[in-house]
Amino acid sequence: MELVTIDDIRAAAGRIKGVAVRTPLVRMGEAWVKPESLQPVGAFKLRGAYNAVASLRPDGVVTHSSGNHGQALAFAAREFGVPCVVVVPEGAPRVKTAAIEGWGAEVVVVPPEQRETTAEKLAAERGLTLVPPYDHRAVIAGQGTVGLEIVEDLPDVEVVLVPVGGGGLASGVGTAVKALRPDVRVIGVEPELAADAVESLAVGRPVEWGAARTFRTIADGLRTALSELTFAHLSRRLDEIVTVSDDEIKAAMGHLARSARLVAEPSGAVTTAALLSGRVATGRTVAVLSGGNVDPELYRQVV
């Protein structure tokens, strides 16, 4: 299987320049936070989606998404003047589906287990190009620009913490960081209620927990399973994966608000939760805050 390279990621950086924000490293105590919540769509997903559309130049696109990738693809499609359809699972946060529609895309709501098959069906019926949320080399390369920027902005970084859902972000970040600084520890973080990646790496193959199990976690963006492509990247380029509880995620959201003045959705706060838990290696650490598209009522409750 052909893995993404540092050259792929550097090419992606050129394509997304001026579109995706080069997010700063924000000091939080003894660590730094990479706030991808500052992107125009509120999450890192813009990097991969825009790179994919810029590379493929399709006549129209479709995807399945819990919300953030859908927003990002809708944004990219609007920039290139092509139609976009986003299939979302029932129960997806309204703040995310409303934003997808706000960027001009059509939203199709289906049961969680039907999201991928529905997107594939729509692609065939309407002649659209399927741009999956993580199972695509161009998407992974775009997400890898996060890692590229971390090493450029903090050359003596020692630990990078990155959320793991479908694995696209962790695949790209791990690729970039390990290519530039092989000695840096890249640690994935996922909710303990959706810890399929931990199990996958333990048994040596992708394991899918299914919606009945993963939908228990508050971290809606991390409920998806690894693909063969992302598993191949993570098995080679992550040093370890740790898990955090939903209570730790909620506490981390509050900590980010008070200590770094940053808004984080649950999925984006998992890395800070791991940092606060003391389960990860110490050193000059960067925690990737993957997104800030949080339901206002939930945010009020936890912050």
Side-chain angles (χ1 to χ4, degrees):
M1 182 177 294
E2 184 180 4
L3 303 187
V4 170
T5 68
I6 188 63
D7 289 337
D8 295 326
I9 294 171
R10 285 182 171 135
R15 295 188 190 99
I16 70 173
K17 186 176 181 180
V19 178
V21 174
R22 185 190 175 96
T23 51
L25 293 181
V26 177
R27 197 66 187 257
M28 183 181 69
E30 297 300 314
W32 289 262
V33 177
K34 177 76 165 167
E36 288 296 291
S37 51
L38 302 182
Q39 295 294 347
V41 298
F44 75 95
K45 293 285 192 177
L46 177 60
R47 297 172 182 266
Y50 191 89
N51 184 54
V53 176
S55 302
L56 300 170
R57 295 301 178 105
D59 294 326
V61 291
V62 62
T63 194
H64 54 91
S65 169
S66 60
N68 284 339
H69 175 67
Q71 292 183 60
L73 191 63
F75 178 97
R78 193 185 72 164
E79 291 293 297
F80 284 91
V82 298
C84 176
V85 181
V86 180
V87 179
V88 301
E90 294 171 347
R94 179 55 188 160
V95 66
K96 294 184 177 181
T97 56
I100 294 169
E101 293 170 336
W103 291 115
E106 176 187 349
V107 172
V108 176
V109 182
V110 299
E113 65 276 7
Q114 296 178 18
R115 49 184 274 180
E116 291 188 39
T117 55
T118 301
E120 291 167 354
K121 180 181 178 182
L122 289 171
E125 290 177 349
R126 303 190 191 184
L128 303 172
T129 297
L130 178 64
V131 181
Y134 51 87
D135 191 25
H136 195 288
R137 293 183 74 257
V139 172
I140 292 173
Q143 319 306 26
T145 59
V146 171
L148 192 67
E149 293 172 10
I150 289 173
V151 176
E152 289 176 351
D153 293 347
L154 191 67
D156 57 350
V157 61
E158 296 174 294
V159 181
V160 175
L161 304 176
V162 58
V164 178
L169 177 61
S171 295
V173 169
T175 297
V177 172
K178 289 296 186 180
L180 299 171
R181 287 286 309 278
D183 57 313
V184 173
R185 289 185 61 77
V186 182
I187 301 174
V189 186
E190 67 178 347
E192 62 183 25
L193 294 178
D196 52 282
V198 169
E199 183 177 344
S200 297
L201 293 181
V203 302
R205 59 178 174 78
V207 174
E208 187 169 351
W209 279 21
R213 295 180 70 185
T214 61
F215 267 64
R216 298 173 300 162
T217 180
I218 191 176
D220 60 280
L222 304 181
R223 294 167 176 163
T224 48
L226 302 181
S227 67
E228 293 284 351
L229 180 61
T230 56
F231 173 80
H233 282 81
L234 298 194
S235 61
R236 292 166 175 80
R237 292 167 179 169
L238 281 193
D239 291 286
E240 65 175 311
I241 299 182
V242 299
T243 63
V244 292
S245 71
D246 274 22
D247 285 342
E248 288 172 324
I249 293 170
K250 293 175 185 177
M253 292 168 68
H255 185 83
L256 283 159
R258 292 185 290 271
S259 300
R261 281 72 58 193
L262 293 170
V263 174
E265 61 185 274
S267 302
V270 294
T271 51
T272 296
L275 187 65
L276 296 175
S277 74
R279 296 190 191 97
V280 295
T282 57
R284 294 174 66 81
T285 301
V286 174
V288 178
L289 193 173
S290 56
N293 295 317
V294 58
D295 176 78
E297 177 58 23
L298 171 62
Y299 195 67
R300 185 192 67 79
Q301 292 174 12
V302 301
V303 174

